[in-house]
Amino acid sequence: MSEWYETLDGVYGRAWSLLIRGTNDPKHDARTPTLATMSATGPQQRTLVLRQTDKEGGRIILYTDKASAKVGEIIADPRVSLHVWDKRSQIQLRLAATASLAPGDPKLWEKMPEGAREVYGVEPPPGTPLEDPLSFERTSNADKFLCVTLTLHEIELVTLAPDPHRRARFRRVDGWAGQWLAP
Ligand SMILES: Cc1cc2nc3c(=O)[nH]c(=O)nc-3n(C[C@H](O)[C@H](O)[C@H](O)COP(=O)(O)O)c2cc1C
C-alpha cells in the first residue's frame, strides 16, 4: 500500500485532513495556526484558532475582535498567509489566501459560552497602551464578533517525516492540481 506522501492526491488529502483535524480537535497543533498580514510598518503575525474548514470551497474561517489591528491590516491589504506546524506528523502547511470580513453569525454568538464571548469587545480596544496591565474591561460585545474568511489560492505542504523529505504546492487556478517542489 502506498504512503500518503507518495502521490500528489495523497498530499492534497493529507493537507486538508490536517486542517479538518485542527478545526475539530482543540488539543491538536493545527488548531492554532499563525496568520500573517501586512501592516503599514511591515509583516505581522499572530496565533488564531481554526474555527471552520470548507474543503470543497477551499475556505477557512477564523474569528476575531473587530477592533483588533489585524482587521485594519486586512482591509488595507486582504492578501494573507496562514502557517501550520504539526510536530507529531512533521508537516508544515503554508496557505496563501485572500481574507474577507463579515459580522459573526448571531446564532453562533447565542451558542457561545460566556468565557468565549469575553474576548470580543475588550475596552479600550486590543493593542491600546495601558498604564496598568489590568486597566481594561471585557464587555462581551456581539458587535465586535467578526468572522474572517480565508479564500485559499495556494496550499503548500512540506513533510520531514519521510527521508527524503517531500514538498508540494497546489493552486486554485489549476483546479488544485499539484506540483512537486524541491524541499
Ligand atoms: C493560543 C492562542 C489562540 C488565539 N486565538 C485567537 C483567535 O481565535 N482570534 C483572535 O483574534 N485572536 C486570538 N489570539 C490572540 C492573537 O494571537 C492576537 O494577540 C490578537 O488577536 C491581537 O492581534 P492583532 O493585534 O494582530 O490584531 C490567540 C492567541 C493565542 C496565544
Side-chain angles (χ1 to χ4, degrees), residues 63-94:
Y63 301 158
T64 198
D65 186 314
K66 196 175 174 179
S68 64
K70 69 183 82 53
V71 173
E73 291 162 12
I74 287 169
I75 291 167
D77 186 345
R79 295 173 302 167
V80 300
S81 172
L82 197 75
H83 169 267
V84 175
W85 163 238
D86 178 33
K87 190 171 181 196
R88 204 171 339 171
S89 63
Q90 297 281 290
I91 293 172
Q92 171 184 267
L93 294 180
R94 284 198 295 187

mmCIF file of all heavy atoms in Angstrom, residues 63-94:
data_model
loop_
_atom_site.group_PDB
_atom_site.id
_atom_site.type_symbol
_atom_site.label_atom_id
_atom_site.label_comp_id
_atom_site.label_asym_id
_atom_site.label_seq_id
_atom_site.Cartn_x
_atom_site.Cartn_y
_atom_site.Cartn_z
ATOM 1 N N TYR A 63 -12.165 33.657 13.764
ATOM 2 C CA TYR A 63 -12.934 34.724 14.404
ATOM 3 C C TYR A 63 -11.972 35.725 15.030
ATOM 4 O O TYR A 63 -10.914 35.343 15.532
ATOM 5 C CB TYR A 63 -13.815 34.195 15.543
ATOM 6 C CG TYR A 63 -14.832 33.159 15.167
ATOM 7 C CD1 TYR A 63 -15.346 32.301 16.143
ATOM 8 C CD2 TYR A 63 -15.301 33.030 13.857
ATOM 9 C CE1 TYR A 63 -16.291 31.343 15.828
ATOM 10 C CE2 TYR A 63 -16.248 32.059 13.542
ATOM 11 C CZ TYR A 63 -16.741 31.217 14.529
ATOM 12 O OH TYR A 63 -17.665 30.270 14.230
ATOM 13 N N THR A 64 -12.395 36.977 15.057
ATOM 14 C CA THR A 64 -11.571 37.975 15.745
ATOM 15 C C THR A 64 -12.417 39.129 16.258
ATOM 16 O O THR A 64 -13.620 39.210 15.990
ATOM 17 C CB THR A 64 -10.432 38.481 14.828
ATOM 18 O OG1 THR A 64 -9.440 39.103 15.646
ATOM 19 C CG2 THR A 64 -10.914 39.466 13.783
ATOM 20 N N ASP A 65 -11.756 40.025 17.014
ATOM 21 C CA ASP A 65 -12.395 41.238 17.506
ATOM 22 C C ASP A 65 -12.281 42.303 16.413
ATOM 23 O O ASP A 65 -11.178 42.579 15.913
ATOM 24 C CB ASP A 65 -11.663 41.696 18.784
ATOM 25 C CG ASP A 65 -12.346 42.874 19.458
ATOM 26 O OD1 ASP A 65 -12.711 43.846 18.751
ATOM 27 O OD2 ASP A 65 -12.513 42.838 20.685
ATOM 28 N N LYS A 66 -13.425 42.902 16.109
ATOM 29 C CA LYS A 66 -13.488 43.898 15.041
ATOM 30 C C LYS A 66 -12.519 45.060 15.265
ATOM 31 O O LYS A 66 -12.063 45.703 14.310
ATOM 32 C CB LYS A 66 -14.921 44.443 15.011
ATOM 33 C CG LYS A 66 -15.312 45.192 13.795
ATOM 34 C CD LYS A 66 -16.788 45.523 13.919
ATOM 35 C CE LYS A 66 -17.261 46.407 12.798
ATOM 36 N NZ LYS A 66 -18.693 46.695 12.935
ATOM 37 N N ALA A 67 -12.189 45.328 16.541
ATOM 38 C CA ALA A 67 -11.329 46.481 16.854
ATOM 39 C C ALA A 67 -9.839 46.121 16.855
ATOM 40 O O ALA A 67 -9.006 46.961 17.148
ATOM 41 C CB ALA A 67 -11.718 47.053 18.216
ATOM 42 N N SER A 68 -9.499 44.852 16.520
ATOM 43 C CA SER A 68 -8.079 44.471 16.584
ATOM 44 C C SER A 68 -7.335 44.977 15.350
ATOM 45 O O SER A 68 -7.915 45.211 14.293
ATOM 46 C CB SER A 68 -7.945 42.950 16.746
ATOM 47 O OG SER A 68 -8.461 42.284 15.626
ATOM 48 N N ALA A 69 -6.015 45.110 15.510
ATOM 49 C CA ALA A 69 -5.191 45.715 14.453
ATOM 50 C C ALA A 69 -5.257 44.930 13.146
ATOM 51 O O ALA A 69 -5.230 45.513 12.057
ATOM 52 C CB ALA A 69 -3.745 45.800 14.941
ATOM 53 N N LYS A 70 -5.366 43.603 13.245
ATOM 54 C CA LYS A 70 -5.351 42.784 12.029
ATOM 55 C C LYS A 70 -6.495 43.157 11.081
ATOM 56 O O LYS A 70 -6.384 42.989 9.869
ATOM 57 C CB LYS A 70 -5.383 41.288 12.372
ATOM 58 C CG LYS A 70 -6.703 40.815 12.952
ATOM 59 C CD LYS A 70 -6.695 39.376 13.344
ATOM 60 C CE LYS A 70 -6.097 39.066 14.681
ATOM 61 N NZ LYS A 70 -6.636 39.815 15.836
ATOM 62 N N VAL A 71 -7.604 43.659 11.650
ATOM 63 C CA VAL A 71 -8.771 43.980 10.821
ATOM 64 C C VAL A 71 -8.450 45.133 9.868
ATOM 65 O O VAL A 71 -8.701 45.050 8.663
ATOM 66 C CB VAL A 71 -10.007 44.270 11.714
ATOM 67 C CG1 VAL A 71 -11.175 44.780 10.885
ATOM 68 C CG2 VAL A 71 -10.388 43.010 12.474
ATOM 69 N N GLY A 72 -7.825 46.179 10.426
ATOM 70 C CA GLY A 72 -7.414 47.305 9.576
ATOM 71 C C GLY A 72 -6.392 46.864 8.544
ATOM 72 O O GLY A 72 -6.410 47.321 7.390
ATOM 73 N N GLU A 73 -5.516 45.961 8.947
ATOM 74 C CA GLU A 73 -4.487 45.477 8.011
ATOM 75 C C GLU A 73 -5.124 44.697 6.857
ATOM 76 O O GLU A 73 -4.730 44.844 5.699
ATOM 77 C CB GLU A 73 -3.476 44.602 8.761
ATOM 78 C CG GLU A 73 -2.623 45.412 9.736
ATOM 79 C CD GLU A 73 -1.924 44.581 10.795
ATOM 80 O OE1 GLU A 73 -1.896 43.344 10.676
ATOM 81 O OE2 GLU A 73 -1.416 45.187 11.753
ATOM 82 N N ILE A 74 -6.128 43.896 7.185
ATOM 83 C CA ILE A 74 -6.802 43.100 6.147
ATOM 84 C C ILE A 74 -7.599 44.020 5.206
ATOM 85 O O ILE A 74 -7.633 43.803 3.993
ATOM 86 C CB ILE A 74 -7.705 42.025 6.806
ATOM 87 C CG1 ILE A 74 -6.825 40.928 7.407
ATOM 88 C CG2 ILE A 74 -8.720 41.451 5.817
ATOM 89 C CD1 ILE A 74 -7.548 39.945 8.301
ATOM 90 N N ILE A 75 -8.220 45.052 5.767
ATOM 91 C CA ILE A 75 -8.965 45.995 4.913
ATOM 92 C C ILE A 75 -7.995 46.674 3.942
ATOM 93 O O ILE A 75 -8.274 46.817 2.752
ATOM 94 C CB ILE A 75 -9.735 47.028 5.777
ATOM 95 C CG1 ILE A 75 -10.879 46.321 6.508
ATOM 96 C CG2 ILE A 75 -10.277 48.181 4.926
ATOM 97 C CD1 ILE A 75 -11.526 47.139 7.615
ATOM 98 N N ALA A 76 -6.820 47.037 4.454
ATOM 99 C CA ALA A 76 -5.831 47.723 3.602
ATOM 100 C C ALA A 76 -5.215 46.785 2.571
ATOM 101 O O ALA A 76 -4.890 47.196 1.452
ATOM 102 C CB ALA A 76 -4.738 48.334 4.473
ATOM 103 N N ASP A 77 -5.045 45.508 2.951
ATOM 104 C CA ASP A 77 -4.420 44.540 2.040
ATOM 105 C C ASP A 77 -4.913 43.142 2.420
ATOM 106 O O ASP A 77 -4.436 42.552 3.403
ATOM 107 C CB ASP A 77 -2.888 44.604 2.160
ATOM 108 C CG ASP A 77 -2.214 43.718 1.112
ATOM 109 O OD1 ASP A 77 -2.899 42.872 0.506
ATOM 110 O OD2 ASP A 77 -0.996 43.882 0.915
ATOM 111 N N PRO A 78 -5.895 42.617 1.669
ATOM 112 C CA PRO A 78 -6.509 41.344 2.075
ATOM 113 C C PRO A 78 -5.666 40.102 1.777
ATOM 114 O O PRO A 78 -6.090 38.988 2.079
ATOM 115 C CB PRO A 78 -7.822 41.324 1.283
ATOM 116 C CG PRO A 78 -7.581 42.194 0.105
ATOM 117 C CD PRO A 78 -6.549 43.218 0.510
ATOM 118 N N ARG A 79 -4.469 40.292 1.227
ATOM 119 C CA ARG A 79 -3.608 39.122 0.971
ATOM 120 C C ARG A 79 -2.991 38.665 2.291
ATOM 121 O O ARG A 79 -2.324 39.453 2.960
ATOM 122 C CB ARG A 79 -2.505 39.472 -0.033
ATOM 123 C CG ARG A 79 -3.041 39.799 -1.410
ATOM 124 C CD ARG A 79 -1.931 40.299 -2.293
ATOM 125 N NE ARG A 79 -1.304 41.482 -1.716
ATOM 126 C CZ ARG A 79 -0.158 42.004 -2.132
ATOM 127 N NH1 ARG A 79 0.510 41.465 -3.126
ATOM 128 N NH2 ARG A 79 0.339 43.090 -1.560
ATOM 129 N N VAL A 80 -3.242 37.416 2.652
ATOM 130 C CA VAL A 80 -2.737 36.903 3.930
ATOM 131 C C VAL A 80 -2.104 35.529 3.719
ATOM 132 O O VAL A 80 -2.250 34.922 2.645
ATOM 133 C CB VAL A 80 -3.875 36.780 4.987
ATOM 134 C CG1 VAL A 80 -4.527 38.125 5.254
ATOM 135 C CG2 VAL A 80 -4.908 35.749 4.553
ATOM 136 N N SER A 81 -1.419 35.071 4.763
ATOM 137 C CA SER A 81 -0.829 33.737 4.739
ATOM 138 C C SER A 81 -1.119 33.078 6.084
ATOM 139 O O SER A 81 -1.102 33.742 7.125
ATOM 140 C CB SER A 81 0.682 33.889 4.504
ATOM 141 O OG SER A 81 1.313 32.656 4.648
ATOM 142 N N LEU A 82 -1.423 31.788 6.043
ATOM 143 C CA LEU A 82 -1.671 31.032 7.278
ATOM 144 C C LEU A 82 -0.630 29.919 7.354
ATOM 145 O O LEU A 82 -0.396 29.210 6.362
ATOM 146 C CB LEU A 82 -3.087 30.440 7.254
ATOM 147 C CG LEU A 82 -3.643 29.989 8.598
ATOM 148 C CD1 LEU A 82 -4.054 31.199 9.446
ATOM 149 C CD2 LEU A 82 -4.855 29.085 8.406
ATOM 150 N N HIS A 83 -0.035 29.773 8.530
ATOM 151 C CA HIS A 83 1.040 28.789 8.725
ATOM 152 C C HIS A 83 0.635 27.785 9.801
ATOM 153 O O HIS A 83 0.143 28.169 10.862
ATOM 154 C CB HIS A 83 2.315 29.519 9.164
ATOM 155 C CG HIS A 83 3.396 28.599 9.637
ATOM 156 N ND1 HIS A 83 3.568 28.261 10.959
ATOM 157 C CD2 HIS A 83 4.346 27.934 8.947
ATOM 158 C CE1 HIS A 83 4.595 27.440 11.060
ATOM 159 N NE2 HIS A 83 5.080 27.220 9.861
ATOM 160 N N VAL A 84 0.847 26.506 9.503
ATOM 161 C CA VAL A 84 0.581 25.426 10.476
ATOM 162 C C VAL A 84 1.836 24.571 10.583
ATOM 163 O O VAL A 84 2.421 24.215 9.554
ATOM 164 C CB VAL A 84 -0.582 24.511 9.980
ATOM 165 C CG1 VAL A 84 -0.782 23.322 10.914
ATOM 166 C CG2 VAL A 84 -1.876 25.292 9.815
ATOM 167 N N TRP A 85 2.230 24.239 11.796
ATOM 168 C CA TRP A 85 3.310 23.246 12.001
ATOM 169 C C TRP A 85 2.758 22.180 12.935
ATOM 170 O O TRP A 85 2.404 22.481 14.079
ATOM 171 C CB TRP A 85 4.558 23.912 12.593
ATOM 172 C CG TRP A 85 5.551 22.955 13.203
ATOM 173 C CD1 TRP A 85 6.002 22.959 14.494
ATOM 174 C CD2 TRP A 85 6.239 21.861 12.551
ATOM 175 N NE1 TRP A 85 6.913 21.952 14.678
ATOM 176 C CE2 TRP A 85 7.086 21.253 13.504
ATOM 177 C CE3 TRP A 85 6.210 21.335 11.252
ATOM 178 C CZ2 TRP A 85 7.892 20.155 13.212
ATOM 179 C CZ3 TRP A 85 7.011 20.236 10.957
ATOM 180 C CH2 TRP A 85 7.845 19.660 11.924
ATOM 181 N N ASP A 86 2.667 20.976 12.438
ATOM 182 C CA ASP A 86 2.202 19.855 13.255
ATOM 183 C C ASP A 86 3.401 18.970 13.570
ATOM 184 O O ASP A 86 3.865 18.217 12.708
ATOM 185 C CB ASP A 86 1.113 19.060 12.530
ATOM 186 C CG ASP A 86 0.661 17.872 13.373
ATOM 187 O OD1 ASP A 86 0.658 17.993 14.615
ATOM 188 O OD2 ASP A 86 0.347 16.822 12.791
ATOM 189 N N LYS A 87 3.872 19.102 14.801
ATOM 190 C CA LYS A 87 5.095 18.403 15.197
ATOM 191 C C LYS A 87 4.931 16.883 15.084
ATOM 192 O O LYS A 87 5.818 16.183 14.611
ATOM 193 C CB LYS A 87 5.432 18.791 16.634
ATOM 194 C CG LYS A 87 6.791 18.328 17.055
ATOM 195 C CD LYS A 87 7.182 18.899 18.383
ATOM 196 C CE LYS A 87 8.577 18.395 18.717
ATOM 197 N NZ LYS A 87 8.905 18.567 20.107
ATOM 198 N N ARG A 88 3.751 16.404 15.512
ATOM 199 C CA ARG A 88 3.538 14.948 15.543
ATOM 200 C C ARG A 88 3.712 14.328 14.159
ATOM 201 O O ARG A 88 4.379 13.328 13.991
ATOM 202 C CB ARG A 88 2.129 14.665 16.072
ATOM 203 C CG ARG A 88 1.989 13.305 16.679
ATOM 204 C CD ARG A 88 0.649 13.174 17.387
ATOM 205 N NE ARG A 88 0.059 14.467 17.728
ATOM 206 C CZ ARG A 88 -1.166 14.637 18.191
ATOM 207 N NH1 ARG A 88 -1.940 13.602 18.375
ATOM 208 N NH2 ARG A 88 -1.633 15.837 18.466
ATOM 209 N N SER A 89 3.102 14.964 13.145
ATOM 210 C CA SER A 89 3.196 14.388 11.795
ATOM 211 C C SER A 89 4.351 14.985 10.992
ATOM 212 O O SER A 89 4.572 14.597 9.847
ATOM 213 C CB SER A 89 1.873 14.580 11.046
ATOM 214 O OG SER A 89 1.602 15.959 10.870
ATOM 215 N N GLN A 90 5.062 15.959 11.597
ATOM 216 C CA GLN A 90 6.199 16.588 10.913
ATOM 217 C C GLN A 90 5.770 17.241 9.588
ATOM 218 O O GLN A 90 6.437 17.101 8.557
ATOM 219 C CB GLN A 90 7.309 15.555 10.661
ATOM 220 C CG GLN A 90 7.905 14.990 11.944
ATOM 221 C CD GLN A 90 8.911 15.963 12.563
ATOM 222 O OE1 GLN A 90 9.981 16.160 12.020
ATOM 223 N NE2 GLN A 90 8.562 16.556 13.689
ATOM 224 N N ILE A 91 4.607 17.905 9.655
ATOM 225 C CA ILE A 91 4.075 18.566 8.455
ATOM 226 C C ILE A 91 3.982 20.070 8.696
ATOM 227 O O ILE A 91 3.455 20.509 9.726
ATOM 228 C CB ILE A 91 2.668 18.017 8.086
ATOM 229 C CG1 ILE A 91 2.773 16.560 7.636
ATOM 230 C CG2 ILE A 91 2.003 18.877 7.002
ATOM 231 C CD1 ILE A 91 1.412 15.897 7.434
ATOM 232 N N GLN A 92 4.485 20.819 7.734
ATOM 233 C CA GLN A 92 4.259 22.275 7.707
ATOM 234 C C GLN A 92 3.330 22.577 6.540
ATOM 235 O O GLN A 92 3.544 22.089 5.419
ATOM 236 C CB GLN A 92 5.575 23.025 7.505
ATOM 237 C CG GLN A 92 5.362 24.520 7.246
ATOM 238 C CD GLN A 92 6.662 25.245 6.944
ATOM 239 O OE1 GLN A 92 7.291 25.788 7.840
ATOM 240 N NE2 GLN A 92 7.073 25.231 5.678
ATOM 241 N N LEU A 93 2.314 23.420 6.814
ATOM 242 C CA LEU A 93 1.441 23.923 5.746
ATOM 243 C C LEU A 93 1.631 25.425 5.644
ATOM 244 O O LEU A 93 1.713 26.115 6.672
ATOM 245 C CB LEU A 93 -0.032 23.680 6.071
ATOM 246 C CG LEU A 93 -0.543 22.257 6.133
ATOM 247 C CD1 LEU A 93 -2.038 22.278 6.471
ATOM 248 C CD2 LEU A 93 -0.315 21.550 4.806
ATOM 249 N N ARG A 94 1.660 25.916 4.415
ATOM 250 C CA ARG A 94 1.645 27.366 4.175
ATOM 251 C C ARG A 94 0.509 27.626 3.196
ATOM 252 O O ARG A 94 0.517 27.107 2.072
ATOM 253 C CB ARG A 94 2.955 27.831 3.568
ATOM 254 C CG ARG A 94 4.046 27.892 4.603
ATOM 255 C CD ARG A 94 5.186 28.740 4.147
ATOM 256 N NE ARG A 94 5.829 28.147 2.984
ATOM 257 C CZ ARG A 94 6.950 28.613 2.460
ATOM 258 N NH1 ARG A 94 7.503 29.699 2.940
ATOM 259 N NH2 ARG A 94 7.506 28.011 1.433
#
